[in-house]
Amino acid sequence: MTLLRYLAALLLLITALPAIAQDEPKVATVAASLTQASAELQAIDDATPAARDDKARQALRDRAQAVQATAADAVRTLTPEMALVQARVTELGAATPGVVEAPEIRQQRKLLAQSQSAIDSAIKRARLIGIEAKQQIDDIGAAEAEELGQQLSENTGSPLSPTLWAAIVDHLPRDSARLMRFVNTEVRQFSSRFGMHAVTGLLVGILTALVLVVPLRGWLHRVGRRYATNHAPGGRLRRSAYAFWLVVIGTALPGLAAWAIVASLRWGGLVSPAWSRFGAIFVGLAWFCAFVSSLGGALLLRGQSTWRLLPIGDAAAQALRPYSWMAAALIFFGQLLIATNLLIGISAPASSAANAAVALLHIMVLGAILVTLGRLRAAALPDPTKPARNTLLAIVATLVWLVLLVTLIAGLIGYVNFAFKVATWLLWGAIVGATLYLMMTFTDDACRTLLSSGNRLGRSANSGFGVDNKTVDQIGVLLSAVLRLLLILLAVGAVMAPFGAGVGSAFELFGTVANGITVGQVTISPGAVLRSLVVLFVALAIMRGLQHWLVNSYLPTTAMDAGAQNSVTMVARYAGIIAAVLWSLGALGIGMEKLAVVLGALSVGIGFGLQAITQNFVSGLILLAERPVKIGDLVRIGNMEGDVKRINVRSTEIQVADRSTLIVPNSELITKTIQNMTLAAPIGRIQLQFSVPLEEDLDAVRAMLFAAFAEKHEVLDDPEAKVFIDSIDAGRAKFNCFAYVASPRDAYPIRSELLFTLLRQFREAGIEVGTTATKMELVGSLPSIVGTDPAAPQPDQTADQAGVQNRT
């Protein structure tokens, strides 16, 4: 026995050593990456105080986020390795006190302990580095917020103050000299490199820009309109897709045109190094301003009211369209002026005056838009004499007016940076809001149209996965809600971008959520949920394919009847669903042991609140297994009779004679008495009862009955028909006749046809047919009735005199 134990331990050691040897390089690689990440984090911490501008801080933030990602990857890599080592330790078991183990076992315990300690230390170190990187990112954000607060609270001098203009005049010679040096640098570069080669490239660039902006843009507009009209799905998707197309080509073509001009200048060597940055800014502003202009055009669509997404009329579209051009021009020239000031290094007073001018122009444009909106709203009122209701638009307009007023006052008293930031932020917020409206509309229309029961994709989901039409529509609505929520979060991050908490912060939030939320020992993350849903759909598809194979290929080749085949199909279906759910839960990270804990916690609720459902579920499984009732059976429950059409896990559907459906809980079919008329011997019995006078020829009646049974081919020869005289009463012979047909469903119509035939034959033969005499007797004395005839019979007279006799 001891020899066998040593051999088993040696075998375990041989199989475990290669795995341990494979773990060591992986742990060493992760440890080396963590060492580099720690050094990088220290370098970021040392460089943070020297970062004074947004670009430098963003670079440090990106480096810190890379360190954070490295730490998270290390934890994800080492956690499964730790689980494997712990599984090996568990498999080895604890050392038995007082028992001397083999050297191989002790060596394995030592290796496993060392590996477990190294992995645990690496995981703890990675988590610590991740926390420190997150703190570093927060410190950089706090520094940005602090600097922004200082800029907003700085009073640079009122534009109305002579002091500011005096300072501008004092710095004017130096600013002019810097501007002239900047211009002369480009003039010298242009003059020195000007030649046929450069001119050819410049002409090609200009010609390309013209082709992109004028003919190609118009042609793409017409192509998009024609495709949306003839090929795009109907409804709102056609309009939103066309608007989205207008924004895409309206942004891309002018941006490419600006890039083509700048690229041709650079290709010919006509751009000096000092102006290269200016060219990049020019191209970037061209892209953005083209987007602003095309966005306004796509949403307003002057003269195309049937394609317009916004619920406004043509007059409102005509009135608002120029403001999109104004906003694009203001952004382009304003930001280009500020960028030029930074490139030249203009003095602080001149820069403050330029910021004040740009802020004032922003306020004027926004104020003009609000005034136009107010006039349009007033013109749309049905009764101009009545005040408008406090709608959301009116509330927002009032708040914007207040912000504009505060901004204007702040700029006039000297808080130019504050006025500039707030004014540009308001215009930026309007652009983000318009973009959000377009994207949410397009997303909702696309999801509702593509994922609908009438679409090809919806029909494929219905036929391929068995998804109900309503479920397909619900999936489209839910997907639209999720995507629109994501767009809203991105829009919030974009709106906060001017204050240093932009889209990057939103992605940081997404990253935090993507890392998962730990509930107990289960970590739930979007990736795990998505993986679980994919596994569930794949498992359901496999289950549906197996069910299709059973129904169409395998079961028809067996000797099973339709009911047995349905039972096998239903059991396979529910077993497949349970297996698919368990598989998806495993993909989510919820193992069987954790699921057992959850089911144990729910057992009390199942025992009390779900007792009836559990009872019906178990009864359904018993029905499918024992098959006391199967599909196609004719059953009678109480005074209801019908055919079994479907056996579900919870209930059974029975179609009664009036074509309605009787839904019976499965527990009723198991615990109560039912009559299954087609279970053992599925034949039907016909019973005829009538009486004839004793004076008639009873043998002739009997012969007529047998002849009628014989004429009906539906009447079986085995069992044979029987004719009995049940009794003789009141001068009549009561006949009780029995015949059999192939199915209980045929008994009633064949009985009716036999009665029609026999009644006709009896009438032709002159035989009186009726029922047995029914006798009613009045027992006891009757109360005295005024006006009763004294000669009337008394209650104690004979039955023939006092009773009521009915003979038919």
Side-chain angles (χ1 to χ4, degrees):
M1 190 70 181
T2 305
L3 179 60
L4 290 177
R5 186 194 308 174
Y6 286 159
L7 290 176
L10 181 59
L11 180 61
L12 182 62
L13 178 61
I14 293 173
T15 56
L17 284 178
I20 297 174
Q22 292 176 2
D23 291 341
E24 292 179 357
K26 184 180 295 186
V27 175
T29 302
V30 173
S33 65
L34 291 177
T35 302
Q36 295 178 358
S38 180
E40 175 69 7
L41 192 62
Q42 184 62 41
I44 295 172
D45 186 53
D46 295 338
T48 299
R52 297 296 182 183
D53 57 353
D54 294 339
K55 183 178 179 180
R57 292 195 181 95
Q58 185 60 41
L60 293 178
R61 182 185 286 108
D62 294 340
R63 292 169 60 185
Q65 289 175 351
V67 171
Q68 190 178 23
T70 301
D73 292 340
V75 173
R76 282 193 294 268
T77 302
L78 295 178
T79 300
E81 301 298 327
M82 188 67 175
L84 291 176
V85 173
Q86 289 177 348
R88 294 169 194 154
V89 172
T90 303
E91 183 180 2
L92 188 61
T96 304
V99 177
V100 179
E101 294 182 331
E104 294 83 0
I105 299 296
R106 292 197 300 271
Q107 180 66 19
Q108 185 181 10
R109 290 187 185 278
K110 182 179 178 180
L111 292 175
L112 288 175
Q114 292 175 355
S115 179
Q116 187 175 15
S117 176
I119 296 175
D120 183 65
S121 300
I123 291 176
K124 292 179 179 178
R125 185 182 180 189
R127 289 174 178 171
L128 181 61
I129 290 175
I131 294 174
E132 292 177 352
K134 181 64 172 59
Q135 292 175 348
Q136 190 66 46
I137 294 172
D138 294 339
D139 292 340
I140 295 173
E144 287 181 342
E146 183 180 359
E147 183 178 353
L148 179 62
Q150 292 176 357
Q151 291 178 358
L152 295 179
S153 61
E154 181 183 3
N155 192 327
T156 58
S158 172
L160 304 178
S161 173
T163 305
L164 176 63
W165 295 103
I168 293 175
V169 172
D170 292 340
H171 290 83
L172 184 59
R174 188 175 64 178
D175 293 339
S176 300
R178 291 180 176 179
L179 178 60
M180 291 305 299
R181 285 197 301 269
F182 186 72
V183 173
N184 290 333
T185 301
E186 178 58 25
V187 170
R188 287 193 300 268
Q189 180 73 18
F190 192 87
S191 301
S192 62
R193 301 300 299 270
F194 188 78
M196 184 59 66
H197 176 76
V199 171
T200 302
L202 181 58
L203 290 177
V204 171
I206 295 175
L207 182 61
T208 303
L210 292 176
V211 171
L212 289 172
V213 173
V214 182
L216 183 59
R217 184 177 182 182
W219 179 75
L220 290 176
H221 276 192
R222 292 189 296 271
V223 169
R225 178 69 176 271
R226 186 165 55 251
Y227 183 85
T229 304
N230 301 328
H231 302 285
R236 288 182 58 90
L237 179 60
R238 177 178 298 173
R239 296 186 297 168
S240 58
Y242 178 62
F244 188 79
W245 171 251
L246 292 180
V247 173
V248 170
I249 63 175
T251 303
L253 296 182
L256 290 175
W259 176 84
I261 294 175
V262 174
S264 64
L265 291 172
R266 290 175 175 172
W267 180 73
L270 300 177
V271 180
S272 63
W275 279 68
S276 180
R277 176 61 178 165
F278 182 84
I281 295 173
F282 175 84
V283 173
L285 289 175
W287 280 91
F288 183 74
C289 295
F291 169 75
V292 173
S293 178
S294 61
L295 177 64
L299 291 178
L300 296 174
L301 283 178
R302 296 184 302 171
Q304 304 179 49
S305 58
T306 57
W307 290 84
R308 188 178 301 125
L309 294 180
L310 291 175
I312 59 177
D314 291 335
Q318 291 285 353
L320 293 175
R321 178 56 174 147
Y323 291 109
S324 62
W325 296 329
M326 292 183 187
L330 176 59
I331 293 172
F332 182 81
F333 292 106
Q335 296 299 322
L336 195 63
L337 174 62
I338 294 173
T340 304
N341 291 338
L342 292 176
L343 291 175
I344 295 175
I346 200 170
S347 62
S351 177
S352 178
N355 291 342
V358 174
L360 180 61
L361 290 175
H362 279 74
I363 293 172
M364 292 174 61
V365 171
L366 292 172
I369 294 174
L370 291 177
V371 170
T372 303
L373 288 175
R375 291 176 179 176
L376 293 173
R377 184 166 174 267
L381 292 176
D383 188 358
T385 60
K386 295 182 180 180
R389 294 178 297 175
N390 291 328
T391 60
L392 179 61
L393 180 61
I395 295 173
V396 173
T398 303
L399 292 176
V400 175
W401 270 119
L402 291 176
V403 174
L404 287 178
L405 181 60
V406 171
T407 303
L408 179 61
I409 295 174
L412 293 177
I413 63 177
Y415 293 96
V416 175
N417 292 331
F418 175 82
F420 176 74
K421 282 283 187 180
V422 174
T424 54
W425 177 75
L426 288 176
L427 187 57
W428 170 250
I431 297 171
V432 172
T435 306
L436 177 64
Y437 177 81
L438 174 61
M439 294 302 299
M440 290 182 65
T441 303
F442 175 73
T443 301
D444 184 57
D445 295 342
C447 292
R448 288 176 178 266
T449 303
L450 299 179
L451 289 176
S452 65
S453 56
N455 189 270
R456 181 183 301 175
L457 183 60
R459 292 193 297 268
S460 300
N462 189 330
S463 60
F465 295 95
V467 182
D468 186 71
N469 290 334
K470 290 293 185 182
T471 305
V472 173
D473 295 333
Q474 292 173 8
I475 292 174
V477 174
L478 291 176
L479 181 61
S480 170
V482 172
L483 294 179
R484 287 190 294 170
L485 178 61
L486 179 61
L487 290 174
I488 291 174
L489 293 176
L490 291 176
V492 171
V495 167
M496 300 307 296
F499 296 99
V503 181
S505 299
F507 279 111
E508 290 177 12
L509 177 61
F510 295 154
T512 302
V513 176
N515 289 333
I517 300 174
T518 302
V519 179
Q521 297 181 352
V522 179
T523 300
I524 300 176
S525 63
V529 173
L530 181 61
R531 182 172 62 251
S532 176
L533 292 177
V534 171
V535 168
L536 179 62
F537 277 108
V538 170
L540 291 177
I542 295 174
M543 179 271 298
R544 185 173 178 82
L546 177 61
Q547 185 180 6
H548 180 78
W549 176 77
L550 283 174
V551 173
N552 299 312
S553 299
Y554 177 71
L555 292 178
T557 63
T558 63
M560 298 181 182
D561 56 14
Q565 293 182 15
N566 177 76
S567 298
V568 173
T569 303
M570 294 294 292
V571 171
R573 176 187 177 188
Y574 291 119
I577 292 176
I578 293 174
V581 172
L582 294 177
W583 191 9
S584 64
L585 290 176
L588 188 60
I590 302 177
M592 291 299 299
E593 68 282 355
K594 300 173 184 177
L595 187 61
V597 174
V598 175
L599 293 178
L602 294 177
S603 60
V604 177
I606 293 175
F608 290 96
L610 304 178
Q611 182 177 4
I613 296 177
T614 305
Q615 183 181 6
N616 290 325
F617 177 79
V618 175
S619 300
L621 296 179
I622 294 175
L623 286 176
L624 294 174
E626 295 185 357
R627 301 176 62 221
V629 174
K630 59 183 180 298
I631 292 178
D633 285 350
L634 180 64
V635 298
R636 179 180 287 118
I637 302 177
N639 59 348
M640 302 298 292
E641 179 180 314
D643 297 321
V644 178
K645 292 298 182 182
R646 185 179 179 87
I647 300 177
N648 300 313
V649 171
R650 191 194 65 84
S651 62
T652 298
E653 299 176 6
I654 300 174
Q655 188 179 67
V656 296
D658 60 356
R659 314 304 292 177
S660 62
T661 301
L662 180 67
I663 300 177
V664 182
N666 289 331
S667 59
E668 296 286 326
L669 302 178
I670 295 297
T671 60
K672 295 187 177 180
T673 302
I674 65 171
Q675 182 181 1
N676 190 338
M677 291 173 283
T678 57
L679 178 60
I683 62 174
R685 190 186 72 166
I686 297 173
Q687 182 178 13
L688 301 178
Q689 290 180 317
F690 61 92
S691 65
V692 297
L694 292 175
E695 294 81 5
E696 301 290 347
D697 187 354
L698 300 183
D699 291 332
V701 172
R702 180 182 182 185
M704 293 173 65
L705 286 170
F706 280 118
F709 290 149
E711 289 177 359
K712 285 295 180 183
H713 66 277
E714 293 89 350
V715 176
L716 301 177
D717 296 331
D718 186 19
E720 62 181 5
K722 302 290 185 180
V723 177
F724 301 98
I725 294 180
D726 189 63
S727 62
I728 299 174
D729 187 13
R732 301 181 70 86
K734 180 181 178 182
F735 280 83
N736 195 3
C737 312
F738 299 95
Y740 298 91
V741 291
S743 172
R745 296 180 178 86
D746 299 332
Y748 190 82
I750 301 303
R751 178 176 178 272
S752 176
E753 293 178 8
L754 287 171
L755 286 174
F756 274 112
T757 301
L758 289 171
L759 288 175
R760 184 179 68 253
Q761 293 177 356
F762 288 158
R763 188 182 305 110
E764 293 174 353
I767 299 174
E768 178 190 354
V769 181
T771 60
T772 304
T774 302
K775 183 186 299 181
M776 294 189 305
E777 296 183 356
L778 300 178
V779 181
S781 60
L782 293 173
S784 60
I785 302 175
V786 179
T788 303
D789 188 359
Q794 299 300 317
D796 57 351
Q797 291 177 334
T798 64
D800 291 336
Q801 295 175 343
V804 180
Q805 189 174 35
N806 180 19
R807 294 184 180 182
T808 59

